[in-house]
Amino acid sequence: MAEKVETGVALTPKDIEMATLRWWLMSHLSYNYQRMQAGGFASMIGPIMQKLYPDKPEEVIAGLKRHMMFFNTEPRWGAVIHGITIALEEQKAKGEDISEETIIDLKSSLMGPLAGIGDTISGALYKPVLLGICLGWASTGSFLGPLVFAIGMLGYDYTITRLSIRKGYQLGTTAVTTILEGGLFKKLTTFFSIMGLFVLGIMVCKFITVDVALQTVVAGKKIVFKELFDQIVPKALPLALTIVSWRAIMKGYRVINVLLCLFAFALIGGALGIIK
């Protein structure tokens, strides 16, 4: 068994805040396919290790070596791991019976599940919703589009990173269980799923501009089919094309084939004067 190294040094809230800032800025520092985010993780925890072991550089070196092992997760929600790891390293430095293998195994076992949570909320829900809203402004030439998107993403990234690290540090190894059993993940995914459906409906109306171009004259009165369809179901053709495309993709058709069919439909329909 390795000899215990007790320092009695306690971390302060400022140490946690600075660790949060370092990870937010350097999560993908020296990102590579051999170690993925290990370089960023080591940069985040390096000053922590130096404070925990001010007079034992060999312990700092050993700590950096174990944190330079392969590591990869969603960098915002996955930062719960960083908070837990900091708490474990602090307790280890105080003489608690925590082995290197415990810390390494905990990181390895949590990075996959938390990546799934983070990718779902950040990549599949929040970002598309925010992007859908901001694209509407950007398409009109408004500077609000890129400005709101930048502020929304930077604010979201930092806020979630900060909350995740703080929660992980406060709760220690029970952090992930608390998040999952507390229903937070389910509430967030439900909220963003509903928001995503609203934004999708708005994007269909705003960005799919295909319309029926057919017109006819009945009893001396011009009948415009577009106006007729809009009275029955506004934006009926864009909605129909969206549903048909979605159904095709769900049935296993390749996206490129669906796009080619839409291109052919637009080309032929426009040439014949059926759609515009």
Side-chain angles (χ1 to χ4, degrees):
M1 179 182 293
E3 181 182 355
K4 290 184 179 180
V5 179
E6 185 172 354
T7 67
V9 176
L11 299 176
T12 66
K14 183 180 178 181
D15 294 322
I16 306 304
E17 290 293 340
M18 293 306 296
T20 299
L21 183 62
R22 287 193 298 273
W23 176 249
W24 181 59
L25 294 174
M26 300 187 293
S27 62
H28 285 69
L29 178 71
S30 67
Y31 189 88
N32 60 82
Y33 288 106
Q34 181 182 7
R35 301 180 188 273
M36 304 300 276
Q37 299 169 358
F41 198 105
S43 298
M44 179 276 299
I45 208 166
I48 296 286
M49 300 301 296
Q50 288 178 320
K51 180 167 184 177
L52 292 176
Y53 301 102
D55 301 317
K56 297 194 177 288
E58 67 279 3
E59 291 295 328
V60 177
I61 293 171
L64 290 175
K65 284 183 176 179
R66 66 173 164 265
H67 292 302
M68 274 301 294
M69 294 183 180
F70 179 92
F71 181 78
N72 188 44
T73 190
E74 196 279 325
R76 306 308 162 209
W77 293 90
V80 171
I81 300 172
H82 303 59
I84 297 173
T85 302
I86 291 171
L88 291 176
E89 290 287 4
E90 183 180 23
Q91 294 305 311
K92 183 178 180 353
K94 290 180 178 179
E96 295 294 332
D97 188 17
I98 300 172
S99 66
E100 287 192 351
E101 290 75 17
T102 299
I103 297 173
I104 294 169
D105 291 344
L106 182 136
K107 288 172 61 181
S108 299
S109 62
L110 291 182
M111 63 185 185
L114 286 173
I117 293 174
D119 289 341
T120 299
I121 297 177
S122 298
L125 297 174
Y126 177 78
K127 289 181 183 178
V129 169
L130 180 63
L131 188 61
I133 294 171
C134 294
L135 278 175
W137 289 327
S139 65
T140 63
S142 173
F143 188 67
L144 278 177
L147 181 63
V148 171
F149 183 76
I151 294 174
M153 284 308 306
L154 290 173
Y156 171 85
D157 281 356
Y158 182 75
T159 301
I160 298 302
T161 301
R162 184 174 184 271
L163 290 175
S164 296
I165 290 181
R166 287 172 64 87
K167 204 66 174 177
Y169 178 72
Q170 290 168 2
L171 299 178
T173 56
T174 64
V176 177
T177 302
T178 301
I179 290 173
L180 293 176
E181 291 183 351
L184 176 62
F185 176 60
K186 184 177 180 181
K187 291 176 183 177
L188 285 171
T189 52
T190 300
F191 170 75
F192 282 117
S193 295
I194 295 172
M195 280 296 297
L197 290 174
F198 275 113
V199 172
L200 177 61
I202 294 169
M203 291 177 69
V204 169
C205 295
K206 189 172 184 64
F207 297 113
I208 303 179
T209 57
V210 61
D211 277 314
V212 178
L214 290 175
Q215 299 181 12
T216 187
V217 178
V218 177
K221 184 177 180 181
K222 184 169 72 172
I223 303 296
V224 180
F225 283 90
K226 176 186 180 305
E227 297 176 356
L228 183 62
F229 286 142
D230 283 344
Q231 290 176 4
I232 301 172
V233 180
K235 299 290 184 178
L237 189 55
L239 177 61
L241 285 175
T242 302
I243 293 175
V244 170
S245 301
W246 171 72
R247 290 291 297 171
I249 293 172
M250 290 297 101
K251 287 186 175 182
Y253 289 93
R254 296 176 60 189
V255 174
I256 185 64
N257 293 334
V258 174
L259 291 174
L260 288 173
C261 289
L262 291 173
F263 177 76
F265 172 75
L267 186 64
I268 296 172
L272 296 177
I274 299 174
I275 61 173
K276 62 179 180 179

